[in-house]
Amino acid sequence: MMAKDFYGGSDSSNWCSSASARLLAPEYSLSPVPWLATPVQVRVTISFLLAGAASVLNALCYAELASRFPAVVGGAYLYAYTAFNELTAFLVFAQLMLDYHIGAASIARSLASYVVSILELFPFFKENIPSWIGHGGEEFLGGTLSINILAPILLALLTIVLCWGVGESSVLNSCMTVVKVIIVIVVIFAGAFEVDVSNWSPFAPNGFKEILTGATVVFFAYVGFDAVANSAEESKKPQRDLPIGILGSLLICAALYVGVSLVLTGMVPYKFLDEDAPLSDAFASRGLKYVSVLISFGAVAGLTTTLLVGLYVQSRLYLGLGRDGLLPSIFAKVHPKRHTPVHSQVWVGIVAGILAGLFNVRVLSHILSVGTLTGYSVVSACVIALRWKDRTSRNDSSRLTSAWRQGVICLIIIACCGFGAGLFYRINASYILLIVAVVIAVLASAMLCLRHGYSDPPGFSCPGVPLLPAVSIFFNLFLFAQLHYEAWWRFVILSFISIGLYAFYGQYHADPSSDTIVYHRVAVAEAQ
């Protein structure tokens, strides 16, 4: 597994390991791949294609809902609030937010490590920068505490940029994105002339199962397109721009990921790739050491945009909950001149700064990705549920109440079957059990098709409803089963804590008249 070439540093050795993901991770990618550690193989190209196809399913669901709610912040939280209920939305928020907080801290540490690496290119700094400044960190109490000074400083600088204004932060983000995309393209073209096609034979040396396993790993390189949905209020034409942004960014990343994978595995046989720095090792073996330096600058650009967008998304989620009363109203305040949620942004920066500066976030990374997969699954279910809600509003709702309950039960069955199939696959259980789980999910999906009617939403429409969202839910829970056992416990424990917070605070302060949770729906004649 390619472990440190782009995100770098010991704090991120468990993170998504494809070489291309290290350089051109989507600006918002915050998910680790903690449990699987196999060397990269030529099959990684097919794995990227399969993972990209699965990500497109989630992206199509997000694109429809982003178009349906074109000028409201909240993302998955807002969609769950509208489609289901307040408690479900709060649970989704809690799971997502923990992912974002820990992820931002991990990225900040990796960025600090690469900044130090670039400084050490100069003789004055070489081997003169202590570990507690940026390289990993100075560990105490058996590694539980790990002091890192540079990571909180970088977080503070980016927080100031985000508080200053969306325009300023978007300029920085755009510049960094252009730099890293150019570097990826240079890496692809420079390496393409060094490819030996014999290294691609056999193309899948370990069979289809290993290709599928690889797809579950590299899937996390694609996560984060949901961040586009949280920029609704800052978009000029959100109903048109958000679907294009979500799907366009995903397809571009998929093309670049596949390109880097083909070049890397074509330059050096996968058995001889260095697991810690595969790209640097591959280019150095071909006498292209200058490309390694270029990769370091690309890593800084990529991680900066990743962190910038990650902090941005977190503040918008806090803004949405503050408006709805589920969190204190201070999170809902927007600066009158800068038009940014300064209080939410500063809070996000403080939490990430504390985690990045004091704790060994590599250990915490084992419990990441739970919120991402949970949010994606709920969003897919929201697409189906909101189509029901449109139909219910145009017909006798009392007649459709039982059908609604049956539909929710079918969605739960599909989710359980996805997790069960993933668990059977993980423990190498009999394929009969795996087939049974798939068949039950297919039957539940058939029930969704036969027992319900689905309206056409305004704006962008996800194709294949309800089958496409059902497949998305199944695959997301399949991946959920591949995570660390600690991640499963985190899901259960955080869910109970969230229920307690909602029971003692949220339900008494929620504002049902908030503009954030208004259900946006066009008139019958217009929709038809």
Side-chain angles (χ1 to χ4, degrees):
M1 188 186 289
M2 306 178 209
K4 301 178 186 175
D5 206 33
F6 284 103
Y7 279 172
S10 60
D11 292 310
S12 58
S13 59
N14 286 321
W15 279 56
C16 181
S17 58
S18 76
S20 51
R22 293 301 185 214
L23 183 55
L24 190 76
E27 290 82 12
Y28 23 80
S29 180
L30 301 175
S31 296
V33 183
W35 70 273
L36 187 63
T38 59
V40 66
Q41 304 179 29
V42 181
R43 62 176 170 79
V44 73
T45 303
I46 301 179
S47 297
F48 265 116
L49 290 173
L50 292 176
S55 298
V56 167
L57 301 181
N58 291 295
L60 288 170
C61 295
Y62 258 99
E64 174 176 321
L65 296 179
S67 177
R68 181 188 285 263
F69 302 91
V72 188
V73 298
Y77 156 76
L78 168 67
Y79 309 149
Y81 203 138
T82 305
F84 297 107
N85 54 54
E86 203 170 66
L87 178 58
T88 301
F90 191 72
L91 290 172
V92 170
F93 163 80
Q95 297 290 347
L96 281 173
M97 196 49 61
L98 185 57
D99 268 17
Y100 282 134
H101 283 320
I102 299 175
S106 296
I107 293 173
R109 284 214 165 197
S110 298
L111 177 59
S113 180
Y114 266 103
V115 169
V116 171
S117 297
I118 291 178
L119 291 176
E120 289 181 341
L121 294 174
F122 301 95
F124 178 79
F125 292 106
K126 189 173 182 61
E127 298 181 356
N128 290 326
I129 301 178
S131 61
W132 55 267
I133 289 184
H135 267 318
E138 190 74 22
E139 295 186 350
F140 300 93
L141 301 178
T144 303
L145 293 180
S146 179
I147 306 300
N148 188 305
I149 300 300
L150 184 55
I153 293 175
L154 295 173
L155 283 165
L157 292 175
L158 292 179
T159 298
I160 291 173
V161 172
L162 288 167
C163 289
W164 190 256
V166 175
E168 289 76 6
S169 60
S170 64
V171 169
L172 175 62
N173 185 58
S174 298
C175 293
M176 289 293 188
T177 300
V178 169
V179 169
K180 70 178 182 180
V181 170
I182 291 175
I183 291 176
V184 171
I185 294 174
V186 169
V187 167
I188 292 174
F189 277 93
F193 293 99
E194 305 293 334
V195 168
D196 182 358
V197 294
S198 64
N199 292 330
W200 291 338
S201 180
F203 199 78
N206 294 324
F208 177 77
K209 183 175 181 180
E210 291 303 317
I211 291 177
L212 184 58
T213 300
T216 63
V217 173
V218 301
F219 173 83
F220 297 100
Y222 291 100
V223 302
F225 48 79
D226 52 307
V228 179
N230 287 282
S231 63
E233 288 191 2
E234 283 86 4
S235 301
K236 293 182 179 179
K237 296 180 179 179
Q239 202 159 14
R240 181 202 66 181
D241 296 342
L242 295 183
I244 294 176
I246 291 171
L247 296 173
S249 61
L250 183 62
L251 294 175
I252 291 172
C253 287
L256 294 176
Y257 287 163
V258 170
V260 172
S261 300
L262 286 172
V263 166
L264 180 62
T265 54
M267 290 176 63
V268 179
Y270 73 88
K271 294 180 180 180
F272 302 109
L273 281 172
D274 178 30
E275 292 187 14
D276 286 339
L279 269 179
S280 299
D281 179 70
F283 281 98
S285 68
R286 296 287 183 170
L288 301 174
K289 293 184 178 181
Y290 71 93
V291 179
S292 299
V293 177
L294 193 63
I295 289 171
S296 296
F297 282 98
V300 170
L303 290 169
T304 300
T305 55
T306 301
L307 191 55
L308 191 70
V309 177
L311 295 172
Y312 168 88
V313 171
Q314 293 175 58
S315 67
R316 269 50 182 184
L317 285 172
Y318 275 106
L319 172 64
L321 269 81
R323 286 175 173 175
D324 296 342
L326 295 176
L327 291 178
S329 60
I330 190 173
F331 291 108
K333 293 183 178 180
V334 177
H335 194 278
K337 293 183 179 179
R338 299 297 175 187
H339 305 292
T340 56
V342 175
H343 297 90
S344 296
Q345 197 68 70
V346 170
W347 167 255
V348 166
I350 291 174
V351 173
I354 292 174
L355 291 175
L358 298 179
F359 295 99
N360 188 341
V361 291
R362 182 179 60 178
V363 176
L364 295 178
S365 70
H366 289 174
I367 63 173
L368 276 172
S369 298
V370 175
T372 302
L373 291 172
T374 301
Y376 285 3
S377 300
V378 172
V379 166
S380 298
C382 287
V383 171
I384 298 175
L386 287 175
R387 298 279 191 102
W388 297 339
K389 183 168 284 191
D390 284 342
R391 295 281 295 191
T392 302
S393 66
R394 300 169 190 173
N395 297 279
D396 182 10
S397 59
S398 61
R399 186 174 63 84
L400 298 176
T401 300
S402 61
W404 167 272
R405 293 175 180 172
Q406 292 173 10
V408 172
I409 292 174
C410 288
L411 292 174
I412 294 174
I413 291 174
I414 293 170
C416 292
C417 288
F419 181 80
L423 186 60
F424 298 146
Y425 174 81
R426 178 174 180 171
I427 64 176
N428 292 319
S430 172
Y431 277 104
I432 295 177
L433 295 175
L434 187 61
I435 293 172
V436 168
V438 173
V439 170
I440 295 174
V442 170
L443 293 175
S445 300
M447 287 289 292
L448 289 176
C449 294
L450 299 174
R451 298 282 294 175
H452 293 81
Y454 298 91
S455 62
D456 293 326
F460 180 85
S461 177
C462 175
V465 175
L467 294 180
L468 188 148
V471 173
S472 178
I473 294 171
F474 184 91
F475 190 75
N476 290 336
L477 271 296
F478 182 95
L479 293 177
F480 191 103
Q482 314 307 313
L483 300 177
H484 263 292
Y485 295 114
E486 295 98 316
W488 301 353
W489 280 109
R490 163 245 158 120
F491 175 81
V492 175
I493 294 172
L494 184 57
S495 294
F496 277 111
I497 294 174
S498 302
I499 292 172
L501 291 174
Y502 176 78
F504 289 102
Y505 180 86
Q507 66 172 333
Y508 297 111
H509 295 82
D511 180 12
S513 64
S514 170
D515 291 339
T516 305
I517 61 175
V518 172
Y519 179 53
H520 294 262
R521 182 170 59 236
V522 296
V524 177
E526 183 181 348
Q528 294 176 345

Short mmCIF file of all heavy atoms in Angstrom, two decimals, residues 211-259:
data_model
loop_
_atom_site.label_atom_id
_atom_site.label_comp_id
_atom_site.label_asym_id
_atom_site.label_seq_id
_atom_site.Cartn_x
_atom_site.Cartn_y
_atom_site.Cartn_z
N ILE A 211 -9.27 -7.41 -6.61
CA ILE A 211 -9.66 -6.16 -7.27
C ILE A 211 -10.78 -5.49 -6.49
O ILE A 211 -10.77 -4.28 -6.26
CB ILE A 211 -10.11 -6.43 -8.72
CG1 ILE A 211 -8.91 -6.85 -9.58
CG2 ILE A 211 -10.78 -5.20 -9.33
CD1 ILE A 211 -9.27 -7.22 -10.99
N LEU A 212 -11.75 -6.28 -6.06
CA LEU A 212 -12.86 -5.73 -5.27
C LEU A 212 -12.37 -5.21 -3.93
O LEU A 212 -12.81 -4.14 -3.47
CB LEU A 212 -13.92 -6.80 -5.06
CG LEU A 212 -15.21 -6.37 -4.34
CD1 LEU A 212 -15.88 -5.24 -5.11
CD2 LEU A 212 -16.16 -7.55 -4.19
N THR A 213 -11.44 -5.93 -3.31
CA THR A 213 -10.86 -5.45 -2.06
C THR A 213 -10.15 -4.12 -2.27
O THR A 213 -10.27 -3.19 -1.47
CB THR A 213 -9.86 -6.49 -1.50
OG1 THR A 213 -10.54 -7.72 -1.27
CG2 THR A 213 -9.25 -5.99 -0.20
N GLY A 214 -9.41 -4.02 -3.37
CA GLY A 214 -8.74 -2.76 -3.68
C GLY A 214 -9.73 -1.63 -3.90
O GLY A 214 -9.48 -0.48 -3.53
N ALA A 215 -10.88 -1.94 -4.51
CA ALA A 215 -11.90 -0.92 -4.73
C ALA A 215 -12.44 -0.37 -3.41
O ALA A 215 -12.72 0.82 -3.29
CB ALA A 215 -13.05 -1.49 -5.56
N THR A 216 -12.59 -1.25 -2.40
CA THR A 216 -13.05 -0.77 -1.09
C THR A 216 -12.02 0.15 -0.45
O THR A 216 -12.37 1.05 0.31
CB THR A 216 -13.33 -1.95 -0.15
OG1 THR A 216 -12.13 -2.66 0.11
CG2 THR A 216 -14.37 -2.89 -0.74
N VAL A 217 -10.74 -0.06 -0.77
CA VAL A 217 -9.69 0.81 -0.24
C VAL A 217 -9.70 2.17 -0.92
O VAL A 217 -9.81 3.21 -0.29
CB VAL A 217 -8.31 0.14 -0.38
CG1 VAL A 217 -7.21 1.11 0.02
CG2 VAL A 217 -8.23 -1.11 0.47
N VAL A 218 -9.60 2.17 -2.25
CA VAL A 218 -9.44 3.43 -2.96
C VAL A 218 -10.75 4.21 -3.05
O VAL A 218 -10.74 5.37 -3.47
CB VAL A 218 -8.88 3.20 -4.38
CG1 VAL A 218 -7.54 2.51 -4.31
CG2 VAL A 218 -9.84 2.39 -5.23
N PHE A 219 -11.87 3.61 -2.65
CA PHE A 219 -13.13 4.34 -2.62
C PHE A 219 -13.00 5.62 -1.81
O PHE A 219 -13.58 6.66 -2.15
CB PHE A 219 -14.22 3.46 -2.02
CG PHE A 219 -15.53 4.16 -1.78
CD1 PHE A 219 -16.44 4.33 -2.81
CD2 PHE A 219 -15.85 4.67 -0.54
CE1 PHE A 219 -17.64 4.98 -2.59
CE2 PHE A 219 -17.04 5.32 -0.30
CZ PHE A 219 -17.95 5.47 -1.34
N PHE A 220 -12.22 5.57 -0.77
CA PHE A 220 -12.11 6.72 0.13
C PHE A 220 -11.30 7.86 -0.47
O PHE A 220 -11.24 8.95 0.09
CB PHE A 220 -11.51 6.28 1.47
CG PHE A 220 -12.39 5.28 2.18
CD1 PHE A 220 -12.10 3.94 2.12
CD2 PHE A 220 -13.52 5.68 2.85
CE1 PHE A 220 -12.91 3.01 2.75
CE2 PHE A 220 -14.34 4.77 3.48
CZ PHE A 220 -14.04 3.42 3.44
N ALA A 221 -10.63 7.61 -1.61
CA ALA A 221 -9.97 8.71 -2.30
C ALA A 221 -10.97 9.63 -2.98
O ALA A 221 -10.66 10.77 -3.32
CB ALA A 221 -9.00 8.16 -3.34
N TYR A 222 -12.20 9.14 -3.18
CA TYR A 222 -13.20 9.92 -3.90
C TYR A 222 -14.13 10.70 -2.98
O TYR A 222 -14.89 11.54 -3.46
CB TYR A 222 -14.06 8.98 -4.76
CG TYR A 222 -13.35 8.36 -5.92
CD1 TYR A 222 -12.88 7.06 -5.85
CD2 TYR A 222 -13.16 9.06 -7.10
CE1 TYR A 222 -12.23 6.47 -6.92
CE2 TYR A 222 -12.52 8.48 -8.18
CZ TYR A 222 -12.05 7.18 -8.09
OH TYR A 222 -11.42 6.61 -9.16
N VAL A 223 -14.12 10.40 -1.69
CA VAL A 223 -15.11 11.01 -0.83
C VAL A 223 -14.85 12.50 -0.69
O VAL A 223 -13.72 12.96 -0.81
CB VAL A 223 -15.12 10.36 0.57
CG1 VAL A 223 -15.39 8.88 0.47
CG2 VAL A 223 -13.81 10.62 1.31
N GLY A 224 -15.91 13.24 -0.47
CA GLY A 224 -15.78 14.67 -0.25
C GLY A 224 -16.53 15.54 -1.23
O GLY A 224 -16.64 16.74 -1.04
N PHE A 225 -17.08 14.92 -2.30
CA PHE A 225 -17.85 15.74 -3.23
C PHE A 225 -19.08 16.34 -2.54
O PHE A 225 -19.68 17.30 -3.04
CB PHE A 225 -18.28 14.92 -4.45
CG PHE A 225 -18.89 13.59 -4.11
CD1 PHE A 225 -20.20 13.49 -3.70
CD2 PHE A 225 -18.14 12.44 -4.19
CE1 PHE A 225 -20.77 12.28 -3.39
CE2 PHE A 225 -18.70 11.21 -3.87
CZ PHE A 225 -20.02 11.13 -3.47
N ASP A 226 -19.44 15.78 -1.38
CA ASP A 226 -20.55 16.34 -0.62
C ASP A 226 -20.26 17.75 -0.16
O ASP A 226 -21.18 18.51 0.18
CB ASP A 226 -20.87 15.46 0.58
CG ASP A 226 -19.64 15.18 1.43
OD1 ASP A 226 -18.64 14.71 0.87
OD2 ASP A 226 -19.68 15.43 2.65
N ALA A 227 -18.97 18.12 -0.13
CA ALA A 227 -18.62 19.49 0.28
C ALA A 227 -19.22 20.52 -0.67
O ALA A 227 -19.54 21.64 -0.27
CB ALA A 227 -17.10 19.65 0.33
N VAL A 228 -19.37 20.14 -1.93
CA VAL A 228 -19.95 21.06 -2.91
C VAL A 228 -21.38 21.42 -2.51
O VAL A 228 -21.82 22.56 -2.65
CB VAL A 228 -19.92 20.44 -4.32
CG1 VAL A 228 -20.54 21.38 -5.34
CG2 VAL A 228 -18.50 20.08 -4.71
N ALA A 229 -22.12 20.44 -1.98
CA ALA A 229 -23.50 20.68 -1.58
C ALA A 229 -23.60 21.68 -0.44
O ALA A 229 -24.62 22.35 -0.27
CB ALA A 229 -24.17 19.37 -1.18
N ASN A 230 -22.53 21.80 0.36
CA ASN A 230 -22.55 22.72 1.49
C ASN A 230 -22.18 24.14 1.09
O ASN A 230 -22.14 25.03 1.94
CB ASN A 230 -21.59 22.23 2.58
CG ASN A 230 -22.13 21.03 3.32
OD1 ASN A 230 -22.99 21.15 4.18
ND2 ASN A 230 -21.64 19.85 2.97
N SER A 231 -21.90 24.36 -0.19
CA SER A 231 -21.57 25.71 -0.66
C SER A 231 -22.75 26.35 -1.36
O SER A 231 -22.58 27.31 -2.13
CB SER A 231 -20.37 25.65 -1.61
OG SER A 231 -20.69 24.89 -2.77
N ALA A 232 -23.95 25.87 -1.09
CA ALA A 232 -25.13 26.32 -1.84
C ALA A 232 -25.34 27.83 -1.74
O ALA A 232 -25.62 28.50 -2.74
CB ALA A 232 -26.38 25.58 -1.32
N GLU A 233 -25.22 28.39 -0.54
CA GLU A 233 -25.52 29.81 -0.37
C GLU A 233 -24.51 30.70 -1.06
O GLU A 233 -24.80 31.86 -1.33
CB GLU A 233 -25.58 30.14 1.12
CG GLU A 233 -26.81 29.58 1.82
CD GLU A 233 -26.99 30.15 3.22
OE1 GLU A 233 -26.17 31.00 3.62
OE2 GLU A 233 -27.95 29.76 3.89
N GLU A 234 -23.29 30.18 -1.32
CA GLU A 234 -22.27 31.00 -1.97
C GLU A 234 -22.26 30.80 -3.49
O GLU A 234 -21.43 31.40 -4.17
CB GLU A 234 -20.89 30.69 -1.40
CG GLU A 234 -20.62 31.30 -0.03
CD GLU A 234 -21.11 30.44 1.11
OE1 GLU A 234 -21.60 29.33 0.85
OE2 GLU A 234 -21.01 30.87 2.27
N SER A 235 -23.15 29.98 -4.02
CA SER A 235 -23.19 29.73 -5.46
C SER A 235 -24.10 30.75 -6.14
O SER A 235 -25.14 31.11 -5.62
CB SER A 235 -23.72 28.31 -5.75
OG SER A 235 -22.89 27.35 -5.14
N LYS A 236 -23.68 31.20 -7.32
CA LYS A 236 -24.48 32.18 -8.06
C LYS A 236 -25.72 31.53 -8.68
O LYS A 236 -26.80 32.09 -8.64
CB LYS A 236 -23.62 32.84 -9.14
CG LYS A 236 -22.50 33.72 -8.58
CD LYS A 236 -21.70 34.37 -9.70
CE LYS A 236 -20.61 35.27 -9.14
NZ LYS A 236 -19.81 35.92 -10.22
N LYS A 237 -25.54 30.36 -9.28
CA LYS A 237 -26.66 29.63 -9.87
C LYS A 237 -26.62 28.20 -9.34
O LYS A 237 -26.25 27.25 -10.06
CB LYS A 237 -26.56 29.64 -11.41
CG LYS A 237 -26.67 31.04 -12.01
CD LYS A 237 -26.56 30.99 -13.52
CE LYS A 237 -26.69 32.38 -14.13
NZ LYS A 237 -26.56 32.35 -15.62
N PRO A 238 -26.98 28.02 -8.08
CA PRO A 238 -26.78 26.71 -7.43
C PRO A 238 -27.52 25.56 -8.08
O PRO A 238 -27.02 24.44 -8.11
CB PRO A 238 -27.28 26.96 -5.99
CG PRO A 238 -28.20 28.13 -6.09
CD PRO A 238 -27.64 28.98 -7.18
N GLN A 239 -28.73 25.80 -8.62
CA GLN A 239 -29.50 24.69 -9.18
C GLN A 239 -28.83 24.12 -10.42
O GLN A 239 -28.98 22.94 -10.72
CB GLN A 239 -30.91 25.17 -9.52
CG GLN A 239 -31.92 24.04 -9.59
CD GLN A 239 -33.34 24.52 -9.41
OE1 GLN A 239 -33.59 25.72 -9.51
NE2 GLN A 239 -34.26 23.61 -9.15
N ARG A 240 -28.06 24.93 -11.09
CA ARG A 240 -27.30 24.46 -12.25
C ARG A 240 -25.87 24.07 -11.86
O ARG A 240 -25.34 23.03 -12.30
CB ARG A 240 -27.25 25.56 -13.31
CG ARG A 240 -26.50 25.17 -14.58
CD ARG A 240 -26.01 26.39 -15.34
NE ARG A 240 -24.99 27.12 -14.59
CZ ARG A 240 -24.41 28.24 -15.01
NH1 ARG A 240 -24.78 28.78 -16.16
NH2 ARG A 240 -23.48 28.84 -14.29
N ASP A 241 -25.23 24.91 -11.02
CA ASP A 241 -23.80 24.74 -10.75
C ASP A 241 -23.49 23.57 -9.83
O ASP A 241 -22.46 22.90 -9.98
CB ASP A 241 -23.24 26.02 -10.14
CG ASP A 241 -23.31 27.20 -11.10
OD1 ASP A 241 -23.47 26.95 -12.31
OD2 ASP A 241 -23.21 28.35 -10.65
N LEU A 242 -24.35 23.31 -8.83
CA LEU A 242 -24.02 22.28 -7.85
C LEU A 242 -23.95 20.88 -8.47
O LEU A 242 -22.97 20.15 -8.24
CB LEU A 242 -25.02 22.30 -6.70
CG LEU A 242 -25.00 23.57 -5.83
CD1 LEU A 242 -25.98 23.44 -4.67
CD2 LEU A 242 -23.60 23.84 -5.29
N PRO A 243 -24.94 20.45 -9.26
CA PRO A 243 -24.80 19.13 -9.90
C PRO A 243 -23.57 19.04 -10.80
O PRO A 243 -22.88 18.01 -10.82
CB PRO A 243 -26.10 18.98 -10.70
CG PRO A 243 -27.08 19.85 -9.99
CD PRO A 243 -26.29 21.03 -9.52
N ILE A 244 -23.28 20.12 -11.54
CA ILE A 244 -22.11 20.11 -12.41
C ILE A 244 -20.84 20.00 -11.57
O ILE A 244 -19.91 19.24 -11.90
CB ILE A 244 -22.07 21.39 -13.28
CG1 ILE A 244 -23.24 21.38 -14.26
CG2 ILE A 244 -20.74 21.49 -14.02
CD1 ILE A 244 -23.34 22.66 -15.08
N GLY A 245 -20.77 20.76 -10.47
CA GLY A 245 -19.60 20.71 -9.61
C GLY A 245 -19.39 19.35 -8.98
O GLY A 245 -18.26 18.84 -8.90
N ILE A 246 -20.47 18.73 -8.52
CA ILE A 246 -20.37 17.43 -7.85
C ILE A 246 -19.91 16.36 -8.83
O ILE A 246 -18.94 15.63 -8.58
CB ILE A 246 -21.72 17.04 -7.23
CG1 ILE A 246 -22.03 17.96 -6.03
CG2 ILE A 246 -21.72 15.59 -6.79
CD1 ILE A 246 -23.43 17.79 -5.48
N LEU A 247 -20.60 16.24 -9.95
CA LEU A 247 -20.27 15.18 -10.91
C LEU A 247 -18.98 15.48 -11.67
O LEU A 247 -18.18 14.58 -11.93
CB LEU A 247 -21.43 15.00 -11.89
CG LEU A 247 -22.74 14.51 -11.26
CD1 LEU A 247 -23.87 14.53 -12.29
CD2 LEU A 247 -22.57 13.10 -10.72
N GLY A 248 -18.77 16.75 -12.01
CA GLY A 248 -17.57 17.11 -12.77
C GLY A 248 -16.29 16.86 -11.99
O GLY A 248 -15.33 16.28 -12.51
N SER A 249 -16.26 17.29 -10.72
CA SER A 249 -15.06 17.08 -9.92
C SER A 249 -14.77 15.60 -9.72
O SER A 249 -13.61 15.17 -9.73
CB SER A 249 -15.22 17.77 -8.56
OG SER A 249 -16.31 17.23 -7.83
N LEU A 250 -15.82 14.81 -9.56
CA LEU A 250 -15.64 13.37 -9.35
C LEU A 250 -15.04 12.71 -10.59
O LEU A 250 -14.11 11.90 -10.49
CB LEU A 250 -16.98 12.74 -8.99
CG LEU A 250 -16.96 11.24 -8.67
CD1 LEU A 250 -16.10 10.98 -7.45
CD2 LEU A 250 -18.38 10.75 -8.43
N LEU A 251 -15.56 13.05 -11.76
CA LEU A 251 -15.07 12.43 -13.00
C LEU A 251 -13.63 12.85 -13.31
O LEU A 251 -12.82 12.03 -13.76
CB LEU A 251 -16.00 12.80 -14.16
CG LEU A 251 -17.42 12.23 -14.07
CD1 LEU A 251 -18.27 12.75 -15.21
CD2 LEU A 251 -17.39 10.70 -14.07
N ILE A 252 -13.30 14.11 -13.05
CA ILE A 252 -11.93 14.58 -13.29
C ILE A 252 -10.95 13.85 -12.38
O ILE A 252 -9.88 13.39 -12.81
CB ILE A 252 -11.84 16.10 -13.09
CG1 ILE A 252 -12.61 16.83 -14.19
CG2 ILE A 252 -10.39 16.56 -13.07
CD1 ILE A 252 -12.74 18.32 -13.98
N CYS A 253 -11.32 13.74 -11.09
CA CYS A 253 -10.45 13.03 -10.15
C CYS A 253 -10.27 11.57 -10.56
O CYS A 253 -9.16 11.02 -10.48
CB CYS A 253 -11.03 13.11 -8.74
SG CYS A 253 -10.86 14.73 -7.97
N ALA A 254 -11.35 10.93 -11.00
CA ALA A 254 -11.26 9.53 -11.41
C ALA A 254 -10.28 9.37 -12.57
O ALA A 254 -9.45 8.45 -12.59
CB ALA A 254 -12.64 9.01 -11.81
N ALA A 255 -10.34 10.28 -13.55
CA ALA A 255 -9.44 10.20 -14.70
C ALA A 255 -7.98 10.37 -14.28
O ALA A 255 -7.09 9.63 -14.74
CB ALA A 255 -9.82 11.26 -15.73
N LEU A 256 -7.72 11.30 -13.37
CA LEU A 256 -6.35 11.53 -12.93
C LEU A 256 -5.84 10.38 -12.06
O LEU A 256 -4.67 9.99 -12.14
CB LEU A 256 -6.26 12.85 -12.17
CG LEU A 256 -6.53 14.11 -13.02
CD1 LEU A 256 -6.53 15.36 -12.15
CD2 LEU A 256 -5.47 14.24 -14.11
N TYR A 257 -6.70 9.85 -11.21
CA TYR A 257 -6.31 8.70 -10.39
C TYR A 257 -5.89 7.53 -11.27
O TYR A 257 -4.85 6.89 -11.04
CB TYR A 257 -7.48 8.26 -9.50
CG TYR A 257 -7.78 9.17 -8.34
CD1 TYR A 257 -9.00 9.07 -7.68
CD2 TYR A 257 -6.88 10.12 -7.91
CE1 TYR A 257 -9.30 9.89 -6.61
CE2 TYR A 257 -7.16 10.95 -6.85
CZ TYR A 257 -8.38 10.85 -6.19
OH TYR A 257 -8.68 11.65 -5.15
N VAL A 258 -6.70 7.21 -12.26
CA VAL A 258 -6.40 6.08 -13.15
C VAL A 258 -5.11 6.35 -13.92
O VAL A 258 -4.28 5.45 -14.09
CB VAL A 258 -7.58 5.83 -14.11
CG1 VAL A 258 -7.20 4.83 -15.19
CG2 VAL A 258 -8.80 5.34 -13.34
N GLY A 259 -4.92 7.59 -14.35
CA GLY A 259 -3.71 7.93 -15.09
C GLY A 259 -2.46 7.72 -14.26
O GLY A 259 -1.48 7.11 -14.74
#
